[in-house]
């Protein structure tokens, strides 16, 4: 059970936390939020599409073909190659907006990565003066930046929707387990995109929407990679391409290292 709470010196000065090494926490995520900033890398290894919630479209990485099954996470909790969305980088931390609209760093209080003050192998939240440790500050900055990117992506998706370029994506695939049909996914309407006027194309380009539209179309060719992952999911994965990316992507100075992405 998830229990997201704000991190305060009063509540967390006597606690510590561990960086994640395995990604079992992502094992049930069929899709993951994605920013347009990430799209150029994500489309190299996974399909990208849109989902709709409360009338608004958002960009997502498609990670599975069945409910509650992320094909990029193997049984031991390691990522099976491919791009890792920034959404996962700072687990178990999250950014939430307070009632006054300010971003607040939070954590899943039920996470097994939380520990006691006596755990010398774990990271501290605060120093003796009650100030956040640098690594915690870096996490907050990264998550804040990611939220800004997601908000910008939402505006880009809205622009695509205003030009009626987002349509249902009736995805059907054949696997060793039989046929699978996915619903509630959306993609770019390539035919309409190709018929737009020069003025409309310019507006999309200026709004960073044109590149995202083409990126999504190109990524649809990666559906076969998910089928391959599903067909091989029961096999020995000792020789599979497994990513080492984890919270250890933070360098010793607290910055985030993207070199291995």
């Amino acid at each position: 059970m998830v229990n997201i709470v704000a991190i305060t010196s009063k509540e967390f000065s006597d606690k510590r936390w561990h960086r994640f090494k395995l990604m079992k926490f992502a094992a049930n995520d069929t899709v993951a939020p994605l920013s347009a900033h990430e799209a150029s890398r994500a489309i190299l290894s996974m399909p990208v599409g849109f989902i709709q919630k409360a009338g608004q479209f958002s960009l997502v990485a498609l990670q599975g073909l069945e409910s509650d099954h992320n094909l990029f996470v193997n049984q031991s909790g390691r990522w099976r190659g491919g791009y890792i969305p920034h959404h996962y980088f700072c687990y178990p931390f999250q950014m939430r907006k307070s009632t006054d609209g300010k971003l607040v760093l939070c954590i899943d209080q039920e996470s097994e990565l939380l520990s006691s003050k006596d755990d010398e192998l774990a990271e501290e939240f605060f120093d003796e003066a009650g100030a956040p440790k640098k690594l915690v500050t870096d996490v907050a900055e990264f998550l804040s930046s990611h939220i800004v990117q997601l908000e910008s992506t939402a505006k880009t998706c809205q622009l695509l929707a205003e030009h009626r370029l987002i349509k249902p994506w009736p995805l059907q695939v054949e696997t060793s387990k039989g046929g699978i049909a996915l619903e509630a996914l959306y993609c770019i309407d390539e035919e309409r995109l190709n018929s737009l006027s020069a003025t409309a194309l310019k507006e999309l380009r200026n709004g960073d929407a044109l590149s995202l539209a083409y990126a999504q179309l190109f990524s649809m060719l990666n559906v076969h990679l998910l089928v391959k992952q599903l067909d091989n999911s029961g096999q020995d994965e000792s020789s599979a391409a497994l990513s080492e990316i984890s919270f250890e992507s933070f360098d010793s100075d607290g910055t985030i290292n993207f070199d291995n992405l």
Side-chain angles (χ1 to χ4, degrees):
M1 183 177 180
V2 177
N3 182 20
I4 306 299
V5 298
I7 297 173
T8 64
S9 58
K10 178 180 179 180
E11 298 295 333
F12 285 85
S13 60
D14 62 343
K15 295 181 177 65
R16 293 194 179 199
W17 59 280
H18 287 274
R19 309 181 190 198
F20 74 82
K21 295 183 181 297
L22 298 176
M23 298 188 64
K24 292 182 179 179
F25 59 86
N28 296 327
D29 295 347
T30 307
V31 299
L34 202 67
S35 71
H37 177 76
E38 305 172 74
S40 61
R41 294 183 180 183
I43 64 172
L44 298 178
S45 55
M46 59 180 56
V48 169
F50 305 95
I51 60 172
Q52 187 179 34
K53 186 175 181 180
Q56 301 294 318
F57 288 102
S58 58
L59 186 69
V60 295
L62 180 59
Q63 302 174 154
L65 297 171
E66 301 170 306
S67 297
D68 303 323
H69 187 189
N70 184 347
L71 289 168
F72 289 99
V73 179
N74 73 0
Q75 293 181 353
S76 64
R78 296 180 67 190
W79 194 269
R80 304 174 66 191
Y83 180 79
I84 301 180
H86 289 182
H87 173 71
Y88 296 126
F89 272 29
C90 295
Y91 181 83
F93 295 93
Q94 294 186 22
M95 272 291 186
R96 296 285 181 90
K97 285 189 176 182
S98 62
T99 54
D100 59 1
K102 294 182 179 180
L103 291 175
V104 178
L105 184 63
C106 302
I107 197 168
D108 180 3
Q109 198 167 35
E110 301 301 320
S111 172
E112 60 185 14
L113 297 177
L114 269 181
S115 186
S116 67
K117 186 74 172 180
D118 299 329
D119 187 353
E120 296 184 356
L121 297 178
E123 306 281 352
E124 291 182 304
F125 287 94
F126 298 93
D127 60 23
E128 295 181 355
K133 299 287 282 189
K134 186 177 187 306
L135 185 54
V136 173
T137 301
D138 288 333
V139 167
E141 290 177 354
F142 177 82
L143 289 174
S144 296
S145 176
H146 184 52
I147 286 180
V148 171
Q149 291 170 357
L150 290 176
E151 291 176 344
S152 175
T153 302
K155 295 179 181 179
T156 302
C157 292
Q158 178 62 27
L159 182 58
L160 290 169
E162 289 174 358
H163 284 272
R164 304 196 305 280
L165 287 173
I166 300 179
K167 69 174 185 178
W169 182 7
L171 182 56
Q172 297 184 352
V173 296
E174 291 295 328
T175 74
S176 59
K177 298 183 179 182
I180 296 178
L182 278 74
E183 300 179 349
L185 279 174
Y186 294 81
C187 66
I188 292 296
D189 187 334
E190 184 175 10
E191 183 177 351
R192 176 165 176 76
L193 177 62
N194 291 335
S195 67
L196 289 178
S197 66
T199 300
L201 290 172
K202 182 178 180 180
E203 182 181 354
L204 290 168
R205 184 196 64 193
N206 292 342
D208 296 325
L210 191 57
S211 57
L212 180 58
Y214 283 115
Q216 192 282 317
L217 288 171
F218 292 147
S219 79
M220 294 167 71
L221 299 174
N222 290 330
V223 170
H224 78 281
L225 298 178
L226 293 181
V227 175
K228 183 178 180 181
Q229 294 273 43
L230 181 62
D231 288 343
N232 295 335
S233 59
Q235 299 180 10
D236 178 20
E237 296 175 322
S238 59
S239 61
L242 300 175
S243 174
E244 296 293 339
I245 296 295
S246 69
F247 216 121
E248 298 298 338
S249 298
F250 282 88
D251 291 329
S252 58
D253 64 356
T255 59
I256 295 178
N257 175 11
F258 298 102
D259 292 341
N260 294 323
L261 293 181

